[in-house]
Amino acid sequence: MSFVSDYVLARLKYSSGMREAFGAEFELTAGYLNTASIGVPPVFAADALSEVVGRWRGGRIEATEFDDSVASARRDFARLVGVNPDRVAAGGSVGQLVGSVAAGLPEGSRVLVVQGEFTSVVFPFAVQHDRGVRVTEVVPERLFDALPGHDVVAVSLVQSGDGAVIDPARLRELAEEHGVRVLLDVSQAAGWMPLELDWADWVVGCGYKWLLSPRGVAWLAVGSRAFLPRPHGANWYAGRDPWQSLYGLPLRLADDARSLDSSPDWFAQVGAAAALRWLAGLDLAAVREHCLGLASALCSELGMSEPRSPVVSLETPEAASRLRTAGVRCAVRDGRTRVSFHLYNTFEDVRVLLDALRG
């Protein structure tokens, strides 16, 4: 296991029921390999959520106190993807935020996606068909060749189904050459992959996977050269001063991306603020090295090609049932068994998985 640096190993400690990873504790036993479906929060983030739920239960809470969590999570999502916080909108799901972009496209726009793309990226554009918006699917290998002749390309940086990675530098180069706007979904990338995506027109991502947050938080970063979508879901929290825009006209929305905010899931934002603050302060190059090292060890043992992401798709038909019987948490996506390694995973997880497959 020499390909994992001493730097990373020094930050990992495995014990029964509790793990320490990159300075944080996680309440995990061996075999949790399902971050691509739902991430596990650090103990301090879960504790922060429990504390506020406890105060809610006892009637010791004020609605305005959640504003700090919304602002904090917004800033740290911006740090994690390399954009300006003023260009980031806070929402509840990827589909909702992509829908704002899709609804703002001119009639007759031509949108390019890859086959097998996650539907929250594809459906919001496809539903605009009555306005003449045309969505074209191509196999991933043809994505770059197919860019000319399209107005927008919408793609996940890391594919949900099999962990395939789109080359962002190449995509940027070709999109700029052909005048194609770019929407990137980073739901399977942000949190383990270092990102600098201020060049993209729109960057969207959810919190409940690699960002280790509760479900109910997502963000949309709007590039400085992209149009700010019309806020079809305009609401009180999208106001210039939310607590002064509770009633009546005139329309007084925020002047920046906050005009796209949805009324926040308060408790989810508390967990997100805690988790993202920690993640944004990590050396993500070391996190990437750790995650890819574990995926590489698995692929090497199974005779598979070197992975480009921590998401590994296994073709073995009976793999899922074997793994679940052995207590390994995994998922089945597109007819294959999917496992995924995050910063809290260790080589113990690789061993448990291999023992289950070979048993």
Side-chain angles (χ1 to χ4, degrees):
M1 306 303 183
S2 59
F3 51 80
V4 178
S5 68
D6 292 339
Y7 175 90
V8 175
L9 289 176
R11 285 156 174 77
L12 288 167
K13 179 180 70 177
Y14 174 74
S15 61
S16 179
M18 191 67 71
R19 296 182 176 193
E20 183 181 316
F22 292 84
E25 289 188 322
F26 294 84
E27 197 169 340
L28 278 176
T29 53
Y32 190 85
L33 296 171
N34 202 24
T35 298
S37 296
I38 179 170
V40 177
V43 169
F44 66 79
D47 286 347
L49 189 57
S50 296
E51 188 275 335
V52 76
V53 169
R55 288 193 293 111
W56 170 50
R57 180 177 181 174
R60 303 183 304 277
I61 201 165
E62 294 289 341
T64 53
E65 71 182 75
F66 294 100
D67 291 349
D68 287 343
S69 292
V70 176
S72 176
R74 187 195 314 272
R75 285 193 303 269
D76 288 323
F77 178 80
R79 289 176 63 193
L80 285 162
V81 300
V83 302
N84 189 318
D86 292 341
R87 306 295 296 181
V88 175
S93 70
V94 165
Q96 168 226 335
L97 292 167
V98 175
S100 296
V101 176
L105 292 183
E107 293 186 5
S109 293
R110 299 154 299 176
V111 181
L112 180 66
V113 302
V114 296
Q115 290 180 4
E117 179 61 79
F118 197 72
T119 50
S120 292
V121 177
V122 177
F123 279 9
F125 294 103
V127 79
Q128 300 292 326
H129 62 86
D130 60 321
R131 298 196 304 113
V133 174
R134 291 176 290 164
V135 181
T136 301
E137 286 185 309
V138 295
V139 295
E141 295 78 15
R142 288 204 61 249
L143 179 68
F144 295 154
D145 292 337
L147 282 173
H150 291 88
D151 302 298
V152 175
V153 56
V155 65
S156 293
L157 187 54
V158 177
Q159 289 293 306
S160 172
D162 60 6
V165 178
I166 301 297
D167 182 347
R170 184 65 173 153
L171 178 59
R172 176 183 185 179
E173 176 187 355
L174 291 174
E176 290 178 350
E177 178 183 341
H178 296 291
V180 180
R181 294 190 179 276
V182 177
L183 182 143
L184 288 175
D185 181 357
V186 296
S187 295
Q188 299 288 1
W192 70 266
M193 179 187 288
L195 299 172
E196 292 292 339
L197 300 176
D198 59 340
W199 56 270
D201 295 279
W202 304 281
V203 179
V204 65
C206 67
Y208 68 94
K209 300 176 187 290
W210 305 87
L211 295 179
L212 312 181
S213 302
R215 187 174 176 88
V217 284
W219 299 271
L220 172 69
V222 182
S224 59
R225 294 178 296 277
F227 69 83
L228 194 65
R230 177 180 295 181
H232 290 282
N235 64 94
W236 72 278
Y237 205 79
R240 193 174 299 115
D241 181 351
W243 296 103
Q244 299 302 317
S245 56
L246 296 172
Y247 306 107
L249 293 172
L251 183 67
R252 48 202 187 277
L253 295 179
D255 298 321
D256 55 16
R258 286 199 309 104
S259 66
L260 299 169
D261 279 7
S262 61
S263 183
D265 181 325
W266 287 336
F267 301 113
Q269 290 285 349
V270 169
L276 268 64
R277 185 182 305 116
W278 174 68
L279 285 168
L282 296 181
D283 179 354
L284 287 181
V287 174
R288 176 177 57 188
E289 179 186 2
H290 171 71
C291 297
L292 290 179
L294 295 174
S296 179
L298 174 64
C299 291
S300 177
E301 288 288 335
L302 296 179
M304 299 171 60
S305 58
E306 187 75 9
R308 294 187 61 202
S309 81
V311 180
V312 179
S313 183
L314 305 174
E315 298 285 352
T316 313
E318 67 276 14
S321 59
R322 285 189 180 183
L323 293 178
R324 288 168 178 166
T325 299
V328 175
R329 296 296 184 111
C330 59
V332 176
R333 294 291 184 270
D334 198 23
R336 300 184 296 267
T337 300
R338 186 185 70 184
V339 297
S340 44
F341 299 93
H342 204 2
L343 48 74
Y344 41 60
N345 289 115
T346 71
F347 289 108
E348 179 72 4
D349 298 304
V350 178
R351 184 192 63 77
V352 170
L353 188 156
L354 290 172
D355 286 349
L357 291 177
R358 293 166 175 169

